[in-house]
Amino acid sequence: MSAVWPNGKPEVGSSAELSRRVSPNDIPLFTELSGDRNPLHYDEAAAESSRFGEIVVQGGITSAVLNAVVAEKLPGPGTVFLSVSWNFTAPVRPGDTITGRVEVTEVRDDKPITRLVTQVIRDDGTTALEGTAVCWTMAMPEWRGGDDV
């Protein structure tokens, strides 16, 4: 453990994951934050006539589980994305449980920077998102945990 690496300096090959159930209420909450009112998220007839065949959630909902993994688990508190390269490979629907997973592929010695392979997998085993990310971890000397956020 150190001021920069609250969970200890990550090692290449380390991995972490978090799962969450996507709620139908996530769509209007994300719309409020983003302004994304695409009919694929709201209009059943439009969504049914699309290649998805039903309502799908915004990509930001799908990728958000990765924000939680890097901030809570690996590399841990104080971590932010510097860059991401993500491919959305399958839709996520309300009611799906998704698991965000990261694996460390590089840890710099000169700066608190990590490179990660990232995935979001639906509960049926389908990969919904895959790609890479580069993260920076900042020292969080006053960090007491997320209970009072």
Side-chain angles (χ1 to χ4, degrees):
M1 184 179 212
S2 74
V4 174
W5 303 108
N7 295 336
K9 185 176 179 181
E11 295 183 18
V12 171
S14 298
S15 64
E17 60 184 44
L18 283 172
S19 297
R20 69 176 296 271
R21 183 177 179 281
V22 178
S23 163
N25 194 43
D26 290 340
I27 294 172
L29 288 172
F30 189 79
T31 296
E32 185 175 333
L33 290 171
S34 68
D36 180 351
R37 291 176 177 79
N38 188 326
L40 294 172
H41 311 309
Y42 286 97
D43 185 323
E44 288 190 35
E48 286 174 4
S49 70
S50 76
R51 66 183 286 220
F52 301 125
E54 61 185 303
I55 296 287
V56 297
V57 302
Q58 295 98 327
I61 293 172
T62 301
S63 63
V65 70
L66 294 170
N67 294 69
V69 176
V70 301
E72 299 293 326
K73 294 209 171 197
L74 183 68
T79 301
V80 295
F81 288 122
L82 294 177
S83 66
V84 297
S85 176
W86 289 334
N87 296 312
F88 292 84
T89 55
V92 172
R93 297 168 173 93
D96 286 346
T97 296
I98 56 174
T99 299
R101 183 176 191 283
V102 302
E103 181 177 335
V104 178
T105 59
E106 180 185 340
V107 182
R108 290 196 30 188
D109 290 323
D110 61 330
K111 296 179 182 179
I113 293 176
T114 52
R115 291 187 184 275
L116 308 170
V117 171
T118 58
Q119 280 186 304
V120 176
I121 302 163
R122 297 189 320 212
D123 49 350
D124 67 359
T126 301
T127 299
L129 177 156
E130 59 188 5
T132 59
V134 178
C135 298
W136 175 279
T137 302
M138 294 173 250
M140 301 295 292
E142 299 297 320
W143 180 250
R144 296 180 314 241
D147 294 338
D148 58 334
V149 174

Short mmCIF file of all heavy atoms in Angstrom, two decimals, residues 62-127:
data_model
loop_
_atom_site.label_atom_id
_atom_site.label_comp_id
_atom_site.label_asym_id
_atom_site.label_seq_id
_atom_site.Cartn_x
_atom_site.Cartn_y
_atom_site.Cartn_z
N THR A 62 -23.56 0.85 -20.29
CA THR A 62 -22.75 -0.37 -20.42
C THR A 62 -21.32 -0.12 -19.94
O THR A 62 -20.77 -0.90 -19.16
CB THR A 62 -22.73 -0.84 -21.89
OG1 THR A 62 -24.07 -1.10 -22.30
CG2 THR A 62 -21.87 -2.06 -22.08
N SER A 63 -20.72 0.97 -20.37
CA SER A 63 -19.31 1.22 -20.03
C SER A 63 -19.14 1.71 -18.60
O SER A 63 -18.04 1.59 -18.03
CB SER A 63 -18.69 2.22 -21.00
OG SER A 63 -19.34 3.47 -20.94
N ALA A 64 -20.18 2.24 -17.97
CA ALA A 64 -20.06 2.81 -16.62
C ALA A 64 -19.58 1.80 -15.58
O ALA A 64 -18.91 2.17 -14.62
CB ALA A 64 -21.38 3.43 -16.19
N VAL A 65 -19.90 0.52 -15.78
CA VAL A 65 -19.45 -0.48 -14.82
C VAL A 65 -17.92 -0.54 -14.79
O VAL A 65 -17.32 -0.84 -13.76
CB VAL A 65 -20.09 -1.86 -15.10
CG1 VAL A 65 -19.55 -2.49 -16.37
CG2 VAL A 65 -19.92 -2.80 -13.91
N LEU A 66 -17.27 -0.19 -15.90
CA LEU A 66 -15.80 -0.17 -15.92
C LEU A 66 -15.25 0.99 -15.09
O LEU A 66 -14.20 0.86 -14.47
CB LEU A 66 -15.28 -0.10 -17.36
CG LEU A 66 -15.59 -1.36 -18.18
CD1 LEU A 66 -15.26 -1.13 -19.65
CD2 LEU A 66 -14.84 -2.57 -17.63
N ASN A 67 -15.97 2.13 -15.06
CA ASN A 67 -15.57 3.23 -14.19
C ASN A 67 -15.54 2.74 -12.74
O ASN A 67 -14.62 3.07 -11.99
CB ASN A 67 -16.54 4.41 -14.31
CG ASN A 67 -16.52 5.06 -15.65
OD1 ASN A 67 -16.95 4.46 -16.63
ND2 ASN A 67 -16.05 6.28 -15.72
N ALA A 68 -16.56 1.98 -12.37
CA ALA A 68 -16.63 1.48 -10.99
C ALA A 68 -15.50 0.51 -10.70
O ALA A 68 -14.90 0.56 -9.62
CB ALA A 68 -17.99 0.82 -10.76
N VAL A 69 -15.18 -0.37 -11.63
CA VAL A 69 -14.11 -1.35 -11.39
C VAL A 69 -12.78 -0.64 -11.15
O VAL A 69 -12.08 -0.94 -10.17
CB VAL A 69 -13.97 -2.35 -12.57
CG1 VAL A 69 -12.78 -3.29 -12.31
CG2 VAL A 69 -15.23 -3.16 -12.76
N VAL A 70 -12.42 0.32 -12.01
CA VAL A 70 -11.11 0.96 -11.85
C VAL A 70 -11.08 1.87 -10.62
O VAL A 70 -10.03 2.00 -9.97
CB VAL A 70 -10.64 1.72 -13.12
CG1 VAL A 70 -10.55 0.79 -14.31
CG2 VAL A 70 -11.47 2.93 -13.42
N ALA A 71 -12.20 2.48 -10.26
CA ALA A 71 -12.22 3.38 -9.11
C ALA A 71 -12.32 2.64 -7.78
O ALA A 71 -11.83 3.12 -6.76
CB ALA A 71 -13.39 4.36 -9.24
N GLU A 72 -12.95 1.48 -7.79
CA GLU A 72 -13.17 0.75 -6.54
C GLU A 72 -12.19 -0.38 -6.30
O GLU A 72 -11.88 -0.70 -5.16
CB GLU A 72 -14.59 0.16 -6.53
CG GLU A 72 -15.70 1.20 -6.62
CD GLU A 72 -15.78 2.08 -5.38
OE1 GLU A 72 -15.51 1.60 -4.28
OE2 GLU A 72 -16.10 3.28 -5.54
N LYS A 73 -11.73 -1.01 -7.38
CA LYS A 73 -10.96 -2.25 -7.21
C LYS A 73 -9.55 -2.18 -7.78
O LYS A 73 -8.58 -2.43 -7.09
CB LYS A 73 -11.71 -3.42 -7.83
CG LYS A 73 -13.01 -3.71 -7.11
CD LYS A 73 -13.34 -5.16 -7.23
CE LYS A 73 -14.51 -5.49 -6.32
NZ LYS A 73 -14.61 -6.90 -6.10
N LEU A 74 -9.43 -1.96 -9.09
CA LEU A 74 -8.12 -2.07 -9.73
C LEU A 74 -8.01 -1.07 -10.87
O LEU A 74 -8.82 -1.13 -11.79
CB LEU A 74 -7.93 -3.50 -10.28
CG LEU A 74 -6.59 -3.83 -10.93
CD1 LEU A 74 -5.48 -3.82 -9.86
CD2 LEU A 74 -6.64 -5.20 -11.59
N PRO A 75 -7.13 -0.12 -10.77
CA PRO A 75 -6.12 0.10 -9.76
C PRO A 75 -6.64 0.57 -8.40
O PRO A 75 -5.99 0.36 -7.40
CB PRO A 75 -5.21 1.16 -10.38
CG PRO A 75 -5.41 1.04 -11.85
CD PRO A 75 -6.85 0.63 -12.00
N GLY A 76 -7.81 1.24 -8.32
CA GLY A 76 -8.41 1.59 -7.04
C GLY A 76 -8.70 3.06 -6.91
O GLY A 76 -8.63 3.83 -7.88
N PRO A 77 -9.08 3.49 -5.69
CA PRO A 77 -9.46 4.89 -5.45
C PRO A 77 -8.42 5.87 -5.96
O PRO A 77 -7.22 5.64 -5.83
CB PRO A 77 -9.60 4.95 -3.93
CG PRO A 77 -9.99 3.55 -3.55
CD PRO A 77 -9.20 2.67 -4.49
N GLY A 78 -8.92 6.95 -6.57
CA GLY A 78 -8.05 7.96 -7.15
C GLY A 78 -7.74 7.72 -8.62
O GLY A 78 -7.04 8.50 -9.24
N THR A 79 -8.29 6.63 -9.20
CA THR A 79 -7.99 6.29 -10.58
C THR A 79 -8.99 6.92 -11.54
O THR A 79 -10.20 6.88 -11.30
CB THR A 79 -7.98 4.76 -10.78
OG1 THR A 79 -7.00 4.20 -9.91
CG2 THR A 79 -7.67 4.39 -12.21
N VAL A 80 -8.47 7.48 -12.62
CA VAL A 80 -9.29 8.05 -13.70
C VAL A 80 -8.77 7.51 -15.03
O VAL A 80 -7.61 7.12 -15.14
CB VAL A 80 -9.25 9.59 -13.71
CG1 VAL A 80 -9.89 10.16 -12.45
CG2 VAL A 80 -7.83 10.12 -13.88
N PHE A 81 -9.66 7.48 -16.01
CA PHE A 81 -9.25 7.09 -17.35
C PHE A 81 -8.53 8.24 -18.03
O PHE A 81 -9.01 9.38 -18.01
CB PHE A 81 -10.47 6.72 -18.21
CG PHE A 81 -11.12 5.42 -17.85
CD1 PHE A 81 -12.46 5.39 -17.49
CD2 PHE A 81 -10.43 4.23 -17.88
CE1 PHE A 81 -13.09 4.20 -17.16
CE2 PHE A 81 -11.04 3.03 -17.56
CZ PHE A 81 -12.37 3.01 -17.19
N LEU A 82 -7.38 7.96 -18.65
CA LEU A 82 -6.71 8.92 -19.52
C LEU A 82 -7.17 8.73 -20.96
O LEU A 82 -7.33 9.69 -21.69
CB LEU A 82 -5.19 8.76 -19.44
CG LEU A 82 -4.54 9.09 -18.10
CD1 LEU A 82 -3.04 8.81 -18.18
CD2 LEU A 82 -4.80 10.55 -17.74
N SER A 83 -7.35 7.47 -21.36
CA SER A 83 -7.85 7.18 -22.69
C SER A 83 -8.49 5.80 -22.68
O SER A 83 -8.13 4.95 -21.86
CB SER A 83 -6.74 7.23 -23.75
OG SER A 83 -5.81 6.18 -23.53
N VAL A 84 -9.45 5.63 -23.57
CA VAL A 84 -10.11 4.34 -23.73
C VAL A 84 -10.29 4.07 -25.22
O VAL A 84 -10.41 5.00 -26.02
CB VAL A 84 -11.49 4.26 -23.02
CG1 VAL A 84 -11.33 4.42 -21.52
CG2 VAL A 84 -12.46 5.27 -23.57
N SER A 85 -10.28 2.81 -25.58
CA SER A 85 -10.61 2.38 -26.93
C SER A 85 -11.54 1.19 -26.77
O SER A 85 -11.10 0.09 -26.42
CB SER A 85 -9.34 1.98 -27.68
OG SER A 85 -9.69 1.48 -28.97
N TRP A 86 -12.83 1.44 -26.96
CA TRP A 86 -13.83 0.43 -26.69
C TRP A 86 -14.64 0.12 -27.95
O TRP A 86 -15.04 1.02 -28.68
CB TRP A 86 -14.79 0.88 -25.59
CG TRP A 86 -14.16 0.92 -24.23
CD1 TRP A 86 -13.11 0.18 -23.79
CD2 TRP A 86 -14.57 1.73 -23.14
NE1 TRP A 86 -12.84 0.48 -22.48
CE2 TRP A 86 -13.71 1.42 -22.05
CE3 TRP A 86 -15.56 2.69 -22.96
CZ2 TRP A 86 -13.83 2.04 -20.81
CZ3 TRP A 86 -15.68 3.29 -21.73
CH2 TRP A 86 -14.82 2.97 -20.67
N ASN A 87 -14.90 -1.15 -28.14
CA ASN A 87 -15.81 -1.62 -29.19
C ASN A 87 -17.04 -2.20 -28.49
O ASN A 87 -16.90 -3.08 -27.64
CB ASN A 87 -15.14 -2.71 -30.04
CG ASN A 87 -13.94 -2.18 -30.78
OD1 ASN A 87 -14.00 -1.14 -31.42
ND2 ASN A 87 -12.83 -2.89 -30.68
N PHE A 88 -18.19 -1.70 -28.89
CA PHE A 88 -19.46 -2.23 -28.37
C PHE A 88 -19.88 -3.35 -29.30
O PHE A 88 -20.20 -3.11 -30.46
CB PHE A 88 -20.50 -1.11 -28.30
CG PHE A 88 -20.17 -0.08 -27.26
CD1 PHE A 88 -19.31 0.96 -27.54
CD2 PHE A 88 -20.71 -0.18 -25.99
CE1 PHE A 88 -18.99 1.90 -26.58
CE2 PHE A 88 -20.40 0.76 -25.01
CZ PHE A 88 -19.53 1.80 -25.30
N THR A 89 -19.85 -4.58 -28.81
CA THR A 89 -20.00 -5.75 -29.65
C THR A 89 -21.38 -6.40 -29.56
O THR A 89 -21.71 -7.24 -30.40
CB THR A 89 -18.92 -6.79 -29.32
OG1 THR A 89 -18.99 -7.08 -27.91
CG2 THR A 89 -17.53 -6.25 -29.66
N ALA A 90 -22.17 -6.04 -28.56
CA ALA A 90 -23.53 -6.58 -28.41
C ALA A 90 -24.32 -5.63 -27.52
O ALA A 90 -23.75 -4.94 -26.67
CB ALA A 90 -23.50 -7.97 -27.79
N PRO A 91 -25.63 -5.57 -27.71
CA PRO A 91 -26.44 -4.66 -26.91
C PRO A 91 -26.63 -5.17 -25.48
O PRO A 91 -26.54 -6.37 -25.21
CB PRO A 91 -27.78 -4.64 -27.65
CG PRO A 91 -27.85 -5.98 -28.31
CD PRO A 91 -26.44 -6.31 -28.69
N VAL A 92 -26.92 -4.23 -24.60
CA VAL A 92 -27.33 -4.53 -23.24
C VAL A 92 -28.75 -4.03 -23.09
O VAL A 92 -29.10 -2.94 -23.54
CB VAL A 92 -26.40 -3.87 -22.21
CG1 VAL A 92 -26.94 -4.02 -20.79
CG2 VAL A 92 -24.99 -4.46 -22.31
N ARG A 93 -29.58 -4.85 -22.47
CA ARG A 93 -31.00 -4.53 -22.32
C ARG A 93 -31.34 -4.36 -20.85
O ARG A 93 -30.68 -4.95 -19.98
CB ARG A 93 -31.83 -5.66 -22.93
CG ARG A 93 -31.59 -5.81 -24.41
CD ARG A 93 -32.18 -7.11 -24.94
NE ARG A 93 -32.08 -7.15 -26.39
CZ ARG A 93 -31.07 -7.72 -27.04
NH1 ARG A 93 -30.09 -8.28 -26.38
NH2 ARG A 93 -31.05 -7.72 -28.35
N PRO A 94 -32.39 -3.60 -20.55
CA PRO A 94 -32.84 -3.53 -19.17
C PRO A 94 -33.11 -4.95 -18.65
O PRO A 94 -33.67 -5.79 -19.35
CB PRO A 94 -34.15 -2.73 -19.25
CG PRO A 94 -34.01 -1.93 -20.50
CD PRO A 94 -33.22 -2.79 -21.45
N GLY A 95 -32.67 -5.22 -17.44
CA GLY A 95 -32.81 -6.54 -16.85
C GLY A 95 -31.56 -7.40 -16.95
O GLY A 95 -31.41 -8.37 -16.20
N ASP A 96 -30.65 -7.06 -17.87
CA ASP A 96 -29.39 -7.80 -17.97
C ASP A 96 -28.52 -7.52 -16.74
O ASP A 96 -28.51 -6.40 -16.22
CB ASP A 96 -28.58 -7.39 -19.20
CG ASP A 96 -29.13 -7.90 -20.51
OD1 ASP A 96 -29.98 -8.81 -20.50
OD2 ASP A 96 -28.69 -7.39 -21.57
N THR A 97 -27.79 -8.51 -16.32
CA THR A 97 -26.72 -8.29 -15.35
C THR A 97 -25.43 -8.26 -16.14
O THR A 97 -25.18 -9.15 -16.97
CB THR A 97 -26.69 -9.41 -14.29
OG1 THR A 97 -27.90 -9.37 -13.55
CG2 THR A 97 -25.51 -9.24 -13.34
N ILE A 98 -24.65 -7.21 -15.93
CA ILE A 98 -23.40 -7.07 -16.66
C ILE A 98 -22.23 -7.10 -15.68
O ILE A 98 -22.35 -6.66 -14.53
CB ILE A 98 -23.35 -5.78 -17.51
CG1 ILE A 98 -23.61 -4.53 -16.67
CG2 ILE A 98 -24.33 -5.87 -18.67
CD1 ILE A 98 -23.44 -3.21 -17.41
N THR A 99 -21.13 -7.64 -16.15
CA THR A 99 -19.91 -7.71 -15.35
C THR A 99 -18.81 -6.98 -16.10
O THR A 99 -18.50 -7.31 -17.25
CB THR A 99 -19.48 -9.18 -15.11
OG1 THR A 99 -20.55 -9.84 -14.40
CG2 THR A 99 -18.20 -9.26 -14.31
N GLY A 100 -18.26 -5.96 -15.45
CA GLY A 100 -17.10 -5.25 -15.99
C GLY A 100 -15.85 -5.91 -15.46
O GLY A 100 -15.75 -6.20 -14.26
N ARG A 101 -14.90 -6.16 -16.35
CA ARG A 101 -13.66 -6.84 -15.97
C ARG A 101 -12.48 -6.09 -16.56
O ARG A 101 -12.52 -5.66 -17.71
CB ARG A 101 -13.66 -8.27 -16.49
CG ARG A 101 -12.46 -9.06 -16.08
CD ARG A 101 -12.55 -10.52 -16.56
NE ARG A 101 -11.52 -11.33 -15.95
CZ ARG A 101 -10.25 -11.35 -16.31
NH1 ARG A 101 -9.83 -10.58 -17.31
NH2 ARG A 101 -9.38 -12.11 -15.68
N VAL A 102 -11.45 -5.91 -15.75
CA VAL A 102 -10.21 -5.30 -16.22
C VAL A 102 -9.04 -6.22 -15.88
O VAL A 102 -9.08 -6.92 -14.87
CB VAL A 102 -9.97 -3.89 -15.63
CG1 VAL A 102 -11.13 -2.96 -15.96
CG2 VAL A 102 -9.73 -3.93 -14.14
N GLU A 103 -8.04 -6.20 -16.75
CA GLU A 103 -6.79 -6.93 -16.48
C GLU A 103 -5.63 -6.01 -16.80
O GLU A 103 -5.61 -5.35 -17.85
CB GLU A 103 -6.70 -8.19 -17.33
CG GLU A 103 -5.42 -8.97 -17.06
CD GLU A 103 -5.34 -10.27 -17.85
OE1 GLU A 103 -6.39 -10.82 -18.23
OE2 GLU A 103 -4.20 -10.73 -18.08
N VAL A 104 -4.67 -5.95 -15.91
CA VAL A 104 -3.50 -5.09 -16.06
C VAL A 104 -2.54 -5.70 -17.07
O VAL A 104 -2.15 -6.86 -16.93
CB VAL A 104 -2.79 -4.88 -14.71
CG1 VAL A 104 -1.53 -4.02 -14.88
CG2 VAL A 104 -3.74 -4.25 -13.69
N THR A 105 -2.17 -4.90 -18.08
CA THR A 105 -1.20 -5.37 -19.07
C THR A 105 0.13 -4.63 -18.96
O THR A 105 1.13 -5.10 -19.50
CB THR A 105 -1.74 -5.20 -20.51
OG1 THR A 105 -2.04 -3.81 -20.74
CG2 THR A 105 -2.98 -6.06 -20.72
N GLU A 106 0.13 -3.48 -18.28
CA GLU A 106 1.37 -2.71 -18.11
C GLU A 106 1.22 -1.79 -16.91
O GLU A 106 0.15 -1.21 -16.70
CB GLU A 106 1.66 -1.88 -19.36
CG GLU A 106 2.93 -1.06 -19.29
CD GLU A 106 3.12 -0.15 -20.50
OE1 GLU A 106 2.52 -0.39 -21.57
OE2 GLU A 106 3.90 0.80 -20.38
N VAL A 107 2.29 -1.66 -16.13
CA VAL A 107 2.36 -0.70 -15.03
C VAL A 107 3.65 0.07 -15.19
O VAL A 107 4.73 -0.53 -15.24
CB VAL A 107 2.35 -1.40 -13.65
CG1 VAL A 107 2.38 -0.37 -12.53
CG2 VAL A 107 1.15 -2.32 -13.51
N ARG A 108 3.54 1.37 -15.30
CA ARG A 108 4.75 2.18 -15.45
C ARG A 108 5.44 2.36 -14.11
O ARG A 108 4.78 2.47 -13.08
CB ARG A 108 4.41 3.54 -16.06
CG ARG A 108 4.00 3.36 -17.50
CD ARG A 108 3.96 4.55 -18.37
NE ARG A 108 4.89 5.63 -18.08
CZ ARG A 108 4.81 6.80 -18.71
NH1 ARG A 108 3.87 7.00 -19.64
NH2 ARG A 108 5.66 7.76 -18.43
N ASP A 109 6.76 2.40 -14.14
CA ASP A 109 7.54 2.61 -12.92
C ASP A 109 7.74 4.10 -12.63
O ASP A 109 7.93 4.47 -11.47
CB ASP A 109 8.90 1.92 -13.02
CG ASP A 109 8.77 0.41 -12.98
OD1 ASP A 109 7.90 -0.10 -12.24
OD2 ASP A 109 9.53 -0.27 -13.69
N ASP A 110 7.71 4.94 -13.68
CA ASP A 110 8.00 6.36 -13.50
C ASP A 110 6.77 7.19 -13.16
O ASP A 110 6.90 8.31 -12.67
CB ASP A 110 8.68 6.92 -14.75
CG ASP A 110 7.80 6.82 -15.99
OD1 ASP A 110 6.99 5.88 -16.08
OD2 ASP A 110 7.94 7.69 -16.88
N LYS A 111 5.58 6.67 -13.40
CA LYS A 111 4.33 7.39 -13.14
C LYS A 111 3.27 6.37 -12.75
O LYS A 111 3.33 5.22 -13.17
CB LYS A 111 3.86 8.13 -14.39
CG LYS A 111 4.76 9.22 -14.87
CD LYS A 111 4.21 9.85 -16.12
CE LYS A 111 5.18 10.92 -16.62
NZ LYS A 111 4.69 11.54 -17.85
N PRO A 112 2.24 6.80 -12.01
CA PRO A 112 1.17 5.87 -11.61
C PRO A 112 0.17 5.63 -12.76
O PRO A 112 -1.01 5.96 -12.67
CB PRO A 112 0.54 6.56 -10.41
CG PRO A 112 0.76 8.02 -10.67
CD PRO A 112 2.08 8.12 -11.38
N ILE A 113 0.69 5.07 -13.84
CA ILE A 113 -0.11 4.81 -15.03
C ILE A 113 -0.18 3.31 -15.27
O ILE A 113 0.84 2.62 -15.20
CB ILE A 113 0.48 5.53 -16.26
CG1 ILE A 113 0.35 7.05 -16.08
CG2 ILE A 113 -0.19 5.07 -17.56
CD1 ILE A 113 0.98 7.87 -17.18
N THR A 114 -1.40 2.84 -15.56
CA THR A 114 -1.59 1.43 -15.89
C THR A 114 -2.31 1.33 -17.23
O THR A 114 -3.11 2.19 -17.58
CB THR A 114 -2.45 0.70 -14.83
OG1 THR A 114 -3.65 1.44 -14.61
CG2 THR A 114 -1.70 0.55 -13.53
N ARG A 115 -2.01 0.27 -17.95
CA ARG A 115 -2.75 -0.10 -19.16
C ARG A 115 -3.57 -1.33 -18.83
O ARG A 115 -3.07 -2.24 -18.16
CB ARG A 115 -1.81 -0.38 -20.32
CG ARG A 115 -1.09 0.84 -20.82
CD ARG A 115 -0.27 0.55 -22.09
NE ARG A 115 0.47 1.72 -22.47
CZ ARG A 115 -0.02 2.72 -23.21
NH1 ARG A 115 -1.25 2.66 -23.67
NH2 ARG A 115 0.72 3.77 -23.50
N LEU A 116 -4.80 -1.33 -19.33
CA LEU A 116 -5.73 -2.41 -19.02
C LEU A 116 -6.38 -2.96 -20.26
O LEU A 116 -6.63 -2.22 -21.22
CB LEU A 116 -6.86 -1.88 -18.11
CG LEU A 116 -6.49 -1.12 -16.85
CD1 LEU A 116 -7.73 -0.49 -16.24
CD2 LEU A 116 -5.81 -2.04 -15.86
N VAL A 117 -6.70 -4.23 -20.24
CA VAL A 117 -7.65 -4.83 -21.17
C VAL A 117 -8.99 -4.78 -20.46
O VAL A 117 -9.08 -5.10 -19.27
CB VAL A 117 -7.26 -6.29 -21.52
CG1 VAL A 117 -8.36 -6.97 -22.31
CG2 VAL A 117 -5.97 -6.32 -22.28
N THR A 118 -10.04 -4.36 -21.16
CA THR A 118 -11.35 -4.18 -20.54
C THR A 118 -12.41 -5.01 -21.25
O THR A 118 -12.32 -5.23 -22.47
CB THR A 118 -11.76 -2.70 -20.58
OG1 THR A 118 -11.77 -2.26 -21.95
CG2 THR A 118 -10.80 -1.83 -19.79
N GLN A 119 -13.39 -5.44 -20.49
CA GLN A 119 -14.53 -6.18 -21.04
C GLN A 119 -15.77 -5.90 -20.20
O GLN A 119 -15.67 -5.71 -18.99
CB GLN A 119 -14.31 -7.69 -20.94
CG GLN A 119 -13.45 -8.34 -21.95
CD GLN A 119 -13.49 -9.84 -21.75
OE1 GLN A 119 -13.20 -10.33 -20.67
NE2 GLN A 119 -13.86 -10.57 -22.77
N VAL A 120 -16.91 -5.94 -20.87
CA VAL A 120 -18.20 -6.00 -20.18
C VAL A 120 -18.92 -7.20 -20.76
O VAL A 120 -19.08 -7.32 -21.98
CB VAL A 120 -19.03 -4.71 -20.37
CG1 VAL A 120 -20.40 -4.86 -19.71
CG2 VAL A 120 -18.28 -3.50 -19.81
N ILE A 121 -19.32 -8.10 -19.87
CA ILE A 121 -19.94 -9.35 -20.29
C ILE A 121 -21.35 -9.42 -19.71
O ILE A 121 -21.55 -9.17 -18.52
CB ILE A 121 -19.10 -10.55 -19.81
CG1 ILE A 121 -17.68 -10.43 -20.38
CG2 ILE A 121 -19.74 -11.87 -20.22
CD1 ILE A 121 -16.67 -11.29 -19.68
N ARG A 122 -22.31 -9.76 -20.56
CA ARG A 122 -23.70 -9.95 -20.09
C ARG A 122 -23.80 -11.27 -19.34
O ARG A 122 -22.97 -12.17 -19.51
CB ARG A 122 -24.68 -9.98 -21.27
CG ARG A 122 -24.74 -8.71 -22.06
CD ARG A 122 -25.85 -8.68 -23.08
NE ARG A 122 -26.04 -9.94 -23.79
CZ ARG A 122 -26.45 -10.04 -25.04
NH1 ARG A 122 -26.71 -8.96 -25.76
NH2 ARG A 122 -26.62 -11.21 -25.61
N ASP A 123 -24.88 -11.42 -18.58
CA ASP A 123 -25.07 -12.64 -17.79
C ASP A 123 -25.27 -13.89 -18.64
O ASP A 123 -25.13 -15.00 -18.14
CB ASP A 123 -26.20 -12.48 -16.78
CG ASP A 123 -27.49 -11.93 -17.35
OD1 ASP A 123 -27.51 -11.47 -18.50
OD2 ASP A 123 -28.50 -11.95 -16.62
N ASP A 124 -25.56 -13.73 -19.94
CA ASP A 124 -25.67 -14.90 -20.81
C ASP A 124 -24.32 -15.29 -21.42
O ASP A 124 -24.24 -16.19 -22.26
CB ASP A 124 -26.71 -14.69 -21.92
CG ASP A 124 -26.32 -13.61 -22.92
OD1 ASP A 124 -25.24 -12.98 -22.78
OD2 ASP A 124 -27.10 -13.38 -23.86
N GLY A 125 -23.24 -14.62 -20.99
CA GLY A 125 -21.89 -14.93 -21.47
C GLY A 125 -21.46 -14.14 -22.69
O GLY A 125 -20.31 -14.24 -23.12
N THR A 126 -22.34 -13.32 -23.24
CA THR A 126 -22.03 -12.52 -24.42
C THR A 126 -21.19 -11.30 -24.04
O THR A 126 -21.53 -10.59 -23.09
CB THR A 126 -23.32 -12.05 -25.12
OG1 THR A 126 -24.08 -13.19 -25.49
CG2 THR A 126 -23.02 -11.20 -26.34
N THR A 127 -20.12 -11.06 -24.78
CA THR A 127 -19.31 -9.87 -24.57
C THR A 127 -20.02 -8.68 -25.22
O THR A 127 -20.30 -8.69 -26.41
CB THR A 127 -17.91 -10.04 -25.17
OG1 THR A 127 -17.27 -11.14 -24.51
CG2 THR A 127 -17.07 -8.78 -25.01
#
